[in-house]
Amino acid sequence: MTGRFGRRRILGGAAVAMALPPFASLMGRRVYAQAQAARKRVVTIFAPNGMYLPQWPKTTGPLPMTPLTAPLEPIKSKVIVTNLANAAAEPPGGAGDHACGAGAAFSCVPPAKADGAGIRAGITVDQVAAAHLKQFTRVASVQLGILQGKQACAEAGYGCLYSNTLSWAGDKQPLAPVMNPAAVFDQLFAGFDPTESDAARQARQARRTSVLDYVREEAALLARKLGRSDAAKLEQVVTSVREIEKRLQPPPGAGAGNKCAVGARPGDAGTDYNAKARLVNDLIVAAFQCDVTRVVSNHIAPPFPDVSYRFLGVSPGHHAASHYKGNAGKEEAYKKTCLWHMEIFADLCRKLDAVREDAGTLLDGTFIVQSSDVGDSNGHSHHDTTVVVAGGPPFKGGRSIAYPRGTPVASLFLSVLQAAGVPATKFGSDGTTPLAALTG
Amino acid sequence: MDLDPGRVALRRLNRAEYDNTVRDLLGTGLRPAQGFAVDPAALGFDNNGDVQAVGAIQLEHYENAAQALADEVLAGGAARLAQVARVPACDPAREGRACVARLVSGFARRAWRRPPAADEIGRVMAVADGEQRRGGDGLAQLRLAVAVVLTSPHFLFRAEPDPRPGAVRALDDHEVASRLSYLIYASMPDDPLFAAADAGKLRTPAEVRAQAARMLADPRGAAFVASFAGQWLELAGLEDHDVDPALFGRSFDRALATAMKSETLGLFAEFVRGDRPAQELLSAPSMVADARLAQHYGAPAGAPPRRGLLTHASVLTATSAANGTNPVARGQWVLSRLFCAPPPPPPPDIPDLPDATPTGKTLRDRLEAHRTNPVCAACHRLFDPIGLGLENYDAIGRWRAMDAGEVIDASGELIDGTRFAGPAELIAALARDPRLSACVAEQLFIYALGRAPAAAPADAANLARLQAGAGGAAAGVRSLISTLVESDVFRMRRGEP
């Protein structure tokens, strides 16, 4: 198991407060200070197969409490619930709504109807954010997953990959989720052993730098010998090395660490995915508190084919239950699974809101968007994709908003990027203007 | 070479291949890849280079794993590394840089699955030299060099250089060895294969064929059966298959799922071993060795003997829902998996099948009602009869004569007009369908080359040649593999234009 890797270099076991070496970019003290003054973060969450629409708010006004929105109660003043259109999620030809919808969910670019060599989607909103926010942190972004889907899930010509992937760093660069939270923990908090001497840490960093320098050079040399698309793979390696290397730079004034609570190293929750999802939320909170990364995506489950939610005590698979029209048993099951998606969303919000940061809480500086592959799960519509957003100013929470039909979800992503300080002016195929109403 | 062999995309080691490779390279018990990101899959398999990307996270995983593996091997000193590298031992404390270079070179040779070039070793040694300048002793230099070799793109990827864009070239011996070993062992070449490559023997089809036969007979050849057949038949996740405990109680658990899977993989292994025609996968008598599975099957009155994949509990379970059989899914599985002829997807917003309870109608009645809609019937005629013909097998593959108080009617008519009275006749009819043998060849092609046979212009002809060369419709499974590995598509590549 991964637990055996680098254990001596990380802390496991009980929660502890530790001094982390502050990270600073090469940009100098001014930007560094600015970054520390107002940390902004982005989280994207993929909750498959839409939401139970009969309990989803549809009007503009104070956020109504329904059984489905009830979990939001404790943090509702920081939450906006809405429906928006994702035109790119609509498969031309009419079949493949789940895979196409998943491929477009956070990119708002129509994915190519292909498998293997032809796969192509767009850069996702979390990765646009990461491209900017990575200058402030050691880790650019983290991709997490809760329930792993089947590997045979191609749908109507759309490759399985679309359904199993949330984050894309580029149109040909899907970033697979890591399903093992302990492995993510090790990675995020590796190298922060407070008992390690300065000399030992410097020696370790020198070794890491020399390995990475080697990989960068070797990948670039190898790329020259390969065809175009093979070389592109090696160029991804070169880019990734640069990203990691940048984080190894000794920060200005090294030694003056910031304190943060790294939680316990997550254990193996087995098939208790409810427990796992909450452990993953703890991990996200710890990563933000320690400012190790500012961008996280969480792929709760793929939409299709069926994923079992038996850990909630429901029998039909999630996809089967989502086609509940005229079937009371499925409807009950679907209600439960949608409610659970909202509970896990709310769990993350509450945990972030419980941690003070500057004059507010971690949640105030975090913009969390949960979206899906479809809107109405019975008919696979894409004009009414259910979206829930949490975060602090400039967003004005505590509301549900009914936008004119056809208002693109890409506009909301653009608003999120701008709120997070990312200098974006457009997003996806149709995100050209931010959604003004979000900020009141 | 008269047909374009096409391109094989650059592949990196997937999780299973990574763990197998470090196991065979280092003899380690560590399984670092269990913490790596999920392997993306395409065309049904998780070894597809076209969809494999490397982000910073993945690279950091590789780097951490390499450090841990290097720590472990060097805990055994330079002597242990010499053993792993298959070179004579030396003492870096006494012999200095020459010893370090010899060990590093030998180790890189095995880790990269080919003789390293002098400049490639030079760049690894430059890192070791840096460690020396920082005051690191010989062991520290070796530790770092091993980590470098294991983080190198030469280790993580299986590169096949394209010196001339668009041109076709024969793979060299070590490239062929890697293709063979990752196909059959899902791991690095073993010593005999490495030796054959070193001796320049892998340029003749006959030698490649002989090596493949040897490797398929090796215990490590089981990796091919598990990986290829397990993914082709969509049994990879069977241990995690969801079964409703309220309906099936303790009748299904992981141990039984493992036994089910073993039966099917065992049958496929037997087909490889005995070079039996793929066509017989649907008619081969079942030989259940596992007591639990035998008990699960029982000997119910009126049940025909279990013959072929479609009577295997693994397949019958994997194609069922948690709370009951799904004849539509079973029929579609037969078309897409066994005949490589997936039916078109349903039109949007189709009505769901009504619940069984309020109407009191059987599943067959309800599916028939569904088929009165001509839009639905166009496709459901293709697969409903197959699924309904298997209704005597419940959602965990047990025989049953009755369902919901009614005697099961498993008769029907296939799209070509063939009528059948029950599962035995249905399966016998399906077993005659020549698409089965062709489909096994096609799946093997996809698995070995990572592309759909439609991807390259000549691939339809390449695939036809593979099947014909292996003996046509009666092609044995091992002959298919041998014919594939000795063919141009496997031993040559076209550079990307």
Side-chain angles (χ1 to χ4, degrees):
Chain A
M1 283 304 294
T2 37
R4 278 182 283 194
F5 292 88
R7 282 300 287 275
R8 62 187 172 74
R9 290 196 289 270
I10 61 148
L11 280 187
V16 285
M18 58 166 81
L20 298 188
F23 172 89
S25 70
L26 298 171
M27 305 180 77
R29 285 163 192 274
R30 195 178 54 79
V31 173
Y32 179 70
Q34 180 193 329
Q36 294 309 310
R39 297 179 187 174
K40 302 290 183 195
R41 296 165 287 261
V42 172
V43 180
T44 51
I45 302 171
F46 180 78
N49 292 314
M51 276 287 166
Y52 183 60
L53 290 180
Q55 294 175 355
W56 194 255
K58 286 169 205 70
T59 53
T60 297
L63 182 60
M65 284 296 115
T66 71
L68 191 55
T69 58
L72 302 171
E73 173 68 37
I75 35 84
K76 69 175 176 187
S77 69
K78 298 178 182 178
V79 174
I80 298 171
V81 171
T82 187
N83 293 91
L84 289 161
N86 193 351
E90 182 90 48
D97 288 278
H98 295 294
C100 180
F106 290 95
S107 69
C108 304
V109 170
K113 186 169 181 167
D115 199 359
I119 62 127
R120 183 181 295 274
I123 185 167
T124 48
V125 62
D126 54 297
Q127 291 304 302
V128 175
H132 177 74
L133 297 174
K134 70 183 181 188
Q135 63 181 310
F136 303 125
T137 58
R138 205 174 60 78
V139 175
S141 69
V142 174
Q143 293 80 45
L144 296 156
I146 308 297
L147 286 114
Q148 189 167 350
K150 294 179 182 170
Q151 133 190 348
C153 69
E155 185 194 8
Y158 288 94
C160 188
L161 182 74
Y162 294 123
S163 291
N164 288 342
T165 310
L166 190 163
S167 296
W168 292 67
D171 63 352
K172 295 285 282 179
Q173 201 176 353
L175 300 177
V178 179
M179 310 301 291
N180 178 344
V184 177
F185 181 93
D186 289 353
Q187 183 159 31
L188 288 174
F189 302 114
F192 288 151
D193 181 350
T195 64
E196 188 179 38
S197 70
D198 280 358
R201 190 177 69 242
Q202 278 162 17
R204 188 164 49 74
Q205 288 197 346
R207 283 195 296 273
R208 284 199 68 189
T209 303
S210 66
V211 173
L212 289 166
D213 280 344
Y214 163 85
V215 174
R216 180 164 38 73
E217 185 186 2
E218 204 65 26
L221 288 170
L222 179 56
R224 283 186 218 160
K225 298 181 183 170
L226 304 178
R228 188 169 23 87
S229 20
D230 289 353
K233 290 272 161 59
L234 272 308
E235 277 142 25
Q236 288 174 10
V237 173
V238 173
T239 308
S240 301
V241 171
R242 285 211 191 93
E243 228 168 69
I244 301 170
E245 277 190 325
K246 230 174 42 163
R247 309 173 198 153
L248 294 177
Q249 296 297 327
N258 59 326
K259 292 269 181 187
C260 72
V262 173
R265 184 172 187 271
D268 183 2
T271 54
D272 185 351
Y273 296 102
N274 182 42
K276 179 180 175 185
R278 288 164 201 272
L279 286 174
V280 162
N281 283 346
D282 292 337
L283 188 58
I284 296 171
V285 174
F288 286 171
Q289 200 178 358
C290 299
D291 204 25
V292 182
T293 188
R294 294 186 185 181
V295 178
V296 171
S297 74
N298 191 3
H299 189 264
I300 304 289
F304 178 83
D306 260 340
V307 171
S308 165
Y309 277 51
R310 189 169 300 285
F311 62 97
L312 295 177
V314 300
S315 191
H318 187 47
H319 175 259
S322 79
H323 289 274
Y324 62 83
K325 203 159 67 183
N327 184 320
K330 285 183 180 175
E331 188 164 358
E332 276 312 303
Y334 184 57
K335 275 187 207 170
K336 274 193 189 169
T337 54
C338 291
L339 178 61
W340 182 71
H341 289 153
M342 294 304 287
E343 283 170 356
I344 295 307
F345 180 89
D347 178 68
L348 176 62
C349 293
R350 275 190 291 106
K351 285 170 174 166
L352 288 169
D353 210 32
V355 181
R356 304 295 304 172
E357 182 181 54
D358 302 329
T361 70
L362 281 181
L363 182 58
D364 293 329
T366 308
F367 301 96
I368 312 173
V369 195
Q370 177 164 286
S371 189
S372 194
D373 48 316
V374 295
D376 171 28
S377 61
N378 286 299
H380 292 161
S381 58
H382 301 283
H383 65 85
D384 54 356
T385 310
T386 46
V387 183
V388 48
V389 189
F395 291 174
K396 197 162 154 284
R399 299 180 299 152
S400 67
I401 306 176
Y403 286 102
R405 185 178 164 123
T407 305
V409 68
S411 294
L412 180 137
F413 291 144
L414 182 57
S415 295
V416 166
L417 288 171
Q418 294 182 351
V422 180
T425 53
K426 56 184 169 54
F427 179 77
S429 306
D430 50 1
T432 49
T433 43
L435 284 180
L438 285 178
T439 53
Chain B
M1 207 283 304
D2 51 342
L3 286 176
D4 182 352
R7 187 179 79 91
V8 169
L10 175 68
R11 285 180 279 192
R12 74 166 161 75
L13 305 185
N14 67 18
R15 291 198 290 183
E17 289 167 347
Y18 185 99
D19 277 347
N20 291 346
T21 301
V22 298
R23 175 201 66 201
D24 294 344
L25 177 66
L26 303 163
T28 181
L30 299 177
R31 296 289 174 265
Q34 288 177 6
F36 294 176
V38 174
D39 284 319
L43 306 167
F45 297 107
D46 63 3
N47 61 353
N48 187 291
D50 279 314
V51 296
Q52 292 172 332
V54 177
I57 299 254
Q58 183 70 33
L59 191 61
E60 262 197 310
H61 279 305
Y62 287 141
E63 188 207 338
N64 291 338
Q67 300 275 5
L69 292 164
D71 287 354
E72 192 195 52
V73 68
L74 269 310
R80 173 68 190 140
L81 182 59
Q83 215 174 18
V84 161
R86 309 272 200 272
V87 294
C90 58
D91 180 359
R94 276 211 337 266
E95 298 163 63
R97 192 175 191 278
C99 168
V100 173
R102 173 141 51 94
L103 293 173
V104 166
S105 188
F107 179 66
R109 190 172 179 286
R110 292 199 69 228
W112 298 347
R113 308 165 286 266
R114 61 175 172 80
D119 64 316
E120 291 170 337
I121 291 303
R123 290 190 290 275
V124 179
M125 283 303 294
V127 181
D129 292 343
E131 180 65 15
Q132 189 188 26
R133 282 195 297 278
R134 283 189 296 273
D137 62 10
L139 270 188
Q141 294 165 41
L142 285 172
R143 195 178 297 120
L144 189 57
V146 166
V148 166
V149 167
L150 294 178
T151 321
S152 172
H154 304 303
F155 174 74
L156 299 171
F157 291 89
R158 293 196 273 136
E160 294 169 354
D162 284 334
R164 287 190 302 140
V168 170
R169 73 170 176 94
L171 298 179
D172 70 30
D173 291 88
H174 291 91
E175 288 168 335
V176 170
S178 269
R179 279 204 185 182
L180 264 183
S181 71
Y182 284 93
L183 173 69
I184 298 175
Y185 291 161
S187 185
M188 62 182 288
D190 59 6
D191 288 342
L193 183 61
F194 223 129
D198 288 346
K201 283 186 181 163
L202 294 180
R203 285 175 214 176
T204 66
E207 180 65 19
V208 174
R209 185 184 187 106
Q211 285 289 346
R214 176 188 70 77
M215 293 165 71
L216 285 166
D218 185 285
R220 260 176 294 179
F224 167 75
V225 173
S227 179
F228 169 69
Q231 294 185 80
W232 164 46
L233 300 172
E234 296 180 359
L235 301 179
L238 192 66
E239 286 89 348
D240 298 314
H241 181 78
D242 183 36
V243 166
D244 193 339
L247 296 172
F248 296 96
R250 290 156 186 255
S251 304
F252 183 87
D253 54 28
R254 286 186 82 88
L256 180 63
T258 304
M260 289 176 174
K261 202 155 131 180
S262 299
E263 181 193 16
T264 305
L265 297 181
L267 179 73
F268 193 81
E270 174 50 38
F271 269 60
V272 173
R273 216 171 9 247
D275 197 22
R276 295 176 58 184
Q279 200 65 37
E280 290 174 13
L281 281 167
L282 284 186
S283 53
S286 194
M287 288 175 299
V288 179
D290 183 84
R292 175 85 192 280
L293 186 59
Q295 189 192 10
H296 183 70
Y297 284 159
R306 297 209 177 229
R307 294 175 76 95
L309 288 178
L310 287 175
T311 63
H312 282 208
S314 60
V315 169
L316 294 161
T317 302
T319 53
S320 292
N323 57 351
T325 58
N326 183 342
V328 172
R330 279 185 180 168
Q332 290 180 340
W333 184 91
V334 168
L335 295 184
S336 65
R337 296 290 92 206
L338 298 184
F339 297 152
C340 291
D349 215 5
I350 43 150
D352 199 17
L353 281 177
D355 253 359
T357 35
T359 61
K361 285 183 175 169
T362 64
L363 193 56
R364 172 177 288 268
D365 293 336
R366 288 179 285 135
L367 274 172
E368 268 165 16
H370 190 70
R371 283 201 304 275
T372 56
N373 180 338
V375 178
C376 304
C379 293
H380 277 264
R381 292 187 309 137
L382 296 170
F383 44 77
D384 283 3
I386 299 175
L388 289 168
L390 296 169
E391 271 295 277
N392 283 117
Y393 298 102
D394 74 5
I396 51 175
R398 294 176 303 196
W399 176 264
R400 59 180 182 179
M402 315 270 288
D403 181 30
E406 305 236 7
V407 173
I408 289 169
D409 173 7
S411 66
E413 182 179 335
L414 292 175
I415 193 75
D416 67 0
T418 308
R419 294 178 164 278
F420 55 88
E425 286 182 28
L426 165 69
I427 291 169
L430 294 173
R432 289 190 295 270
D433 193 318
R435 289 179 296 177
L436 174 59
S437 178
C439 185
V440 176
E442 180 174 337
Q443 294 294 325
L444 187 62
F445 186 99
I446 295 171
Y447 181 75
L449 304 171
R451 65 175 193 255
D459 274 353
N462 279 323
L463 184 60
R465 183 174 289 188
L466 164 61
Q467 234 211 314
V477 174
R478 202 182 58 226
S479 298
L480 279 172
I481 302 167
S482 324
T483 309
L484 175 72
V485 300
E486 68 182 8
S487 72
D488 291 347
V489 288
F490 195 81
R491 298 186 306 112
M492 309 186 95
R493 66 178 278 121
R494 180 171 46 74
E496 195 177 24

